[in-house]
Amino acid sequence: MERFFHLRELGTTVKTEVLAGITTFLTMVYIIIVNPAILSAAGVPFEQVFTATIVAAVIGTLIMGIFAKYPIAIAPGMGMNAYFASVVATHGVSYQVVFGTVFVAGVIFLLLTLTKFRETLIQSIPNSLKYGITSGIGLFIAFIGLRMAEIVVANPENLVTLGDLSNPVTLLSILGLFITLLLMARKIKGALFLGMLVTAVIGYFMGLLHFDGVVSAPPSIVLFDLDIAGVFTHALYTVVFAFLLVTIFDTTGTMIGIAEQAGLMKDGKFPRAKPALMADAVATTVGATMGTSPSSAYVESSSGVAAGGRSGLTAVVVAVLFIGALFFSPVVAAISALPAITAPVLIIVGCFMMEGLAKISWKDFDEAFPAFAIILTMPLTSSIATGIAVGFIMYPIIKLVSGKGKEVHPILYTFGVIFAIQMAFFPAH
């Protein structure tokens, strides 16, 4: 196992990788509850989505761990599930037809992955944008953690404001944050996971963590009834394009950010890119046949990287735990229902991901502002894809007017135009 995953070369151990896998799983397991809840509102059977979500996560994450050997987890993405539900509502079509659009997008996704397109895309992204993406994701997931803990809440006058700190869940989140920070400051291995464990125990005695059973039989696994013909009958081409475009850039940006955080990028390049990019493409295609929205790389994987995960073994552990979740859905539901357990981890990891800011040349405005735009946009729009789009639009424009247009890779000009059109005429959210 050590030799297969090159653990010694990466400066990690089996124990560290297992702890990192558990940490990643606990920070992203909410998807097996949230995804069925969102898609069932569009008429899809809850248990069908529950099973499909886990199967897609297991397939994608195993491909990532075994073939690409990265500590990155794959699962149906947040945002795309909400878009799925909105398509059903606004286009007046059945969810089977919308699953058809997901399948078509997935097949195109696979074909693009078999070419060098996505690899070329990653290599064409300048370092300032890569660091901006990493830092933007950091702020984004920290903001998610703050919202989950209700440390910040919605406010009609200025969008957000400080929440009620006497709220039991908020209080537990803050306590969990300080406990985890204490463990981190003492440089205790597995501090993030131990912090969640201690927070869960405290939550149980506070009466906030409730278990309705432990083990349950997994729902049956069946293939879904897709309506691919309906995609063309209803001319849902823009929906296919939106699924494809957002998934490509969401997952590519996340992979770059996490690989950069883990120190796995080599001279600005992403080794073993093809199998890594194949993971989410296969998960999206298979997931559509079983009843779930497109899959993508999960930003929560950064919590596992922060816990020391550096190899594909971390991803394999995540996949195994997702399989286990099929049988322990009551326990998983209880833990994921208490945001105070995972929110502190997301806040702390957000700090770790800001390291790349020091590597951006802030004195060069044509490099600095596009990165700044990404960092600003991601948390404020709650969308990694939107942040990337803004950066891709800004970078070539500013370079061009600065007289440095030749420094920009042609693919950035192409996608700058595509993103501008996509955001103006058929935004995905």
Side-chain angles (χ1 to χ4, degrees), residues 192-206:
L192 294 175
F193 174 67
L194 290 174
M196 284 191 285
L197 188 62
V198 173
T199 305
V201 171
I202 296 172
Y204 179 78
F205 285 107
M206 286 178 66

Side-chain angles (χ1 to χ4, degrees), residues 10 32 56 131-132 142 149 181 217 311 314 331 337 344 379 398 421:
L10 295 169
I32 67 175
Y131 297 136
L181 287 173
S311 79
T314 294
V331 173
I398 295 178
I421 295 171

Side-chain angles (χ1 to χ4, degrees), residues 368-390:
F369 190 81
F372 169 74
I374 292 172
I375 296 165
L376 185 69
T377 305
M378 282 189 186
L380 293 183
T381 62
S382 295
S383 171
I384 291 170
T386 300
I388 295 169
V390 169

Side-chain angles (χ1 to χ4, degrees), residues 60-130:
T61 305
L62 282 178
I63 293 173
M64 180 66 73
I66 295 172
F67 297 101
K69 299 182 182 178
Y70 282 109
I72 300 173
I74 304 290
M78 287 297 294
M80 282 291 90
N81 46 18
Y83 178 55
F84 181 103
S86 71
V87 171
V88 173
T90 59
H91 286 70
V93 295
S94 68
Y95 61 79
Q96 288 90 344
V97 172
V98 186
F99 276 124
T101 66
V102 175
F103 181 79
V104 172
V107 171
I108 298 172
F109 204 10
L110 272 171
L111 294 175
L112 289 176
T113 302
L114 292 172
T115 68
K116 289 189 175 181
F117 172 76
R118 288 179 75 185
E119 245 178 290
T120 303
L121 175 62
I122 291 174
Q123 292 172 7
S124 71
I125 301 174
N127 286 334
S128 60
L129 293 191
K130 288 176 183 175

Side-chain angles (χ1 to χ4, degrees), residues 238 419-428:
T238 57
F419 266 129
I421 295 171
Q422 185 255 329
M423 291 183 72
F425 298 104
F426 39 92

